[in-house]
Amino acid sequence: MPESLFYAKAMRGASRLVGHWLLLGQAAPDRLAMILADTARLAKLGEPEDTPSGATLGEWSGDRQPPLWAARTALFLLVQMPARPIPRDDLEAAAWAYCWLRNRRFDDFTQAHQALPEHLRETLQAALEQAWADRQSQRLI
């Protein structure tokens, strides 16, 4: 089965998502990397083998594909920020929507959409629809 276009777009946007965390996090890059890894472990969003360095976090926000736990955790942290950040472009929006569906269980699209923080509902509407369709197309039953 060919890779879906949405999935490829979301994976390209994962670097932007991690970069957004690096941009808005109010600490040194090494500390932000530690927060990301510790949060992933505590929130059960992944099991990083090692805590990355700030330099690694910088690479993940550039040309190097971050691990999925890092993107999922960056979203987890960003949606809780009082500043209410939103994705900066379509690739990042795809990563936000993909990670939103990976971070929690939803029975249907409406439930996934309504669970978004209010400030993200309109912004992520189209990307979340694509993520939901992609998720549904991956089911074997």
Side-chain angles (χ1 to χ4, degrees), residues 5-96:
L5 296 177
F6 175 80
Y7 177 79
K9 187 176 174 181
M11 291 302 99
R12 284 195 312 276
S15 292
R16 289 176 166 90
L17 178 53
V18 171
H20 208 150
W21 164 245
L22 187 58
L23 176 70
L24 295 180
Q26 295 182 346
D30 283 337
R31 177 101 170 107
L32 292 174
M34 182 187 69
I35 291 168
L36 196 69
D38 288 348
T39 302
R41 292 178 188 108
L42 291 170
K44 298 189 182 335
L45 298 171
E47 284 295 328
E49 291 180 25
D50 298 311
T51 298
S53 67
T56 299
L57 197 60
E59 290 171 7
W60 289 346
S61 67
D63 294 334
R64 190 168 148 208
Q65 180 71 31
L68 186 54
W69 69 260
R72 290 178 63 192
T73 307
L75 175 71
F76 179 84
L77 293 165
L78 285 169
V79 298
Q80 295 181 58
M81 288 183 144
R84 299 175 17 165
I86 61 172
R88 298 168 292 178
D89 60 31
D90 287 343
L91 290 177
E92 188 177 334
W96 282 52

